[in-house]
């Protein structure tokens, strides 16, 4: 849910994971209560793996924004892992600024709440149920939880929704063998 929008989603949902909506222009969003809402993909950032959806209708009861978490804070990862219905797993924040890929300037929230395929895009919430991030990846690139998970911090979603994310710089490096003389 976008920060600053209080208790309702007013048509925009910047909290989608791009790899979940890849290749789709329209999709169906299903709420925990089973309500189905059509949405279109309004923007994508493949470098940071986020997307913005425009909902065809308003949904009440959006997540309120939480404070930036600290290492050791209790959190809950929600989603639909392995094609199950709504789930919540508990964990703690292990790091608040983990850069996973050198080429992607995202400082992920590292946590140990279990996420698996189907968890991507699920909200990461604090103990009060406020949004602090969006679950995005598993540590070792395998398909299943290995004890370390990553979430995109909610403040990046805000910046994306406002259109203020800077371009990811392209760094070209050429390696050459070094020989000893």
């Amino acid at each position: 849910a976008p920060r600053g929008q209080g208790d309702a989603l007013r048509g925009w949902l910047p909290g989608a994971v791009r790899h979940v909506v890849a290749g789709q222009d329209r999709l169906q969003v299903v709420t925990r209560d089973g309500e189905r809402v059509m949405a279109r993909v309004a923007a994508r950032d493949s470098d940071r793996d986020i997307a913005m959806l425009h909902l065809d209708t308003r949904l009440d009861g959006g997540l309120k924004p939480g404070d930036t978490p600290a290492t050791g804070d209790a959190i809950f990862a929600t989603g639909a892992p392995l094609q199950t219905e709504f789930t919540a797993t508990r964990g703690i924040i292990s790091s608040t600024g983990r850069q996973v890929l050198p080429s992607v300037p995202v400082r992920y929230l590292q946590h140990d709440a279990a996420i698996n395929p189907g968890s991507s895009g699920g909200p990461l919430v604090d103990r009060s149920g406020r949004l602090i991030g969006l679950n995005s990846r598993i540590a070792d690139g395998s398909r299943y939880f290995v004890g370390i998970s990553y979430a995109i911090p909610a403040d990046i979603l805000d910046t994306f929704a406002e259109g203020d994310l800077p371009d990811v710089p392209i760094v070209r490096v050429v390696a050459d063998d070094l020989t000893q003389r």
Side-chain angles (χ1 to χ4, degrees):
R3 287 164 119 45
Q5 288 195 353
D7 293 327
L9 299 175
R10 290 176 175 76
W12 292 99
L13 184 62
V17 178
R18 192 222 31 99
H19 74 261
V20 173
V21 300
Q24 298 179 6
D25 293 323
R26 292 201 49 84
L27 53 107
Q28 193 175 74
V29 174
V30 181
T31 69
R32 182 173 190 264
D33 298 328
E35 184 178 352
R36 296 176 184 278
V37 177
M38 292 305 295
R40 71 176 167 80
V41 179
R44 303 171 205 260
D45 184 325
S46 58
D47 292 324
R48 294 176 185 91
D49 195 25
I50 54 178
M52 184 182 330
L53 305 180
H54 182 265
L55 306 176
D56 287 353
T57 189
R58 176 186 161 141
L59 291 177
D60 290 325
L63 293 171
K64 293 181 181 181
D67 296 326
T68 301
T71 300
D73 283 357
I75 50 87
F76 297 88
T78 62
L82 305 173
Q83 300 181 359
T84 61
E85 300 260 338
F86 176 84
T87 64
T89 56
R90 181 180 54 171
I92 64 165
I93 294 291
S94 308
S95 174
T96 58
R98 185 72 66 210
Q99 186 164 355
V100 178
L101 300 170
S103 62
V104 179
V106 173
R107 302 286 186 204
Y108 289 92
L109 299 174
Q110 179 182 321
H111 62 87
D112 66 353
I115 65 172
N116 281 295
S119 297
S120 291
L124 185 69
V125 298
D126 63 17
R127 69 177 67 202
S128 298
R130 295 178 305 224
L131 180 70
I132 58 171
L134 190 68
N135 292 308
S136 177
R137 33 185 333 123
I138 298 169
D140 72 350
S142 74
R143 288 197 32 94
Y144 301 102
F145 179 65
V146 294
I148 300 174
S149 303
Y150 299 108
I152 299 167
D155 61 344
I156 290 177
L157 303 176
D158 290 340
T159 306
F160 179 59
E162 294 163 4
D164 292 337
L165 278 180
D167 291 335
V168 174
I170 297 173
V171 177
R172 289 185 169 70
V173 177
V174 177
D176 199 2
D177 290 334
L178 294 177
T179 57
Q180 198 169 23
R181 293 185 182 193

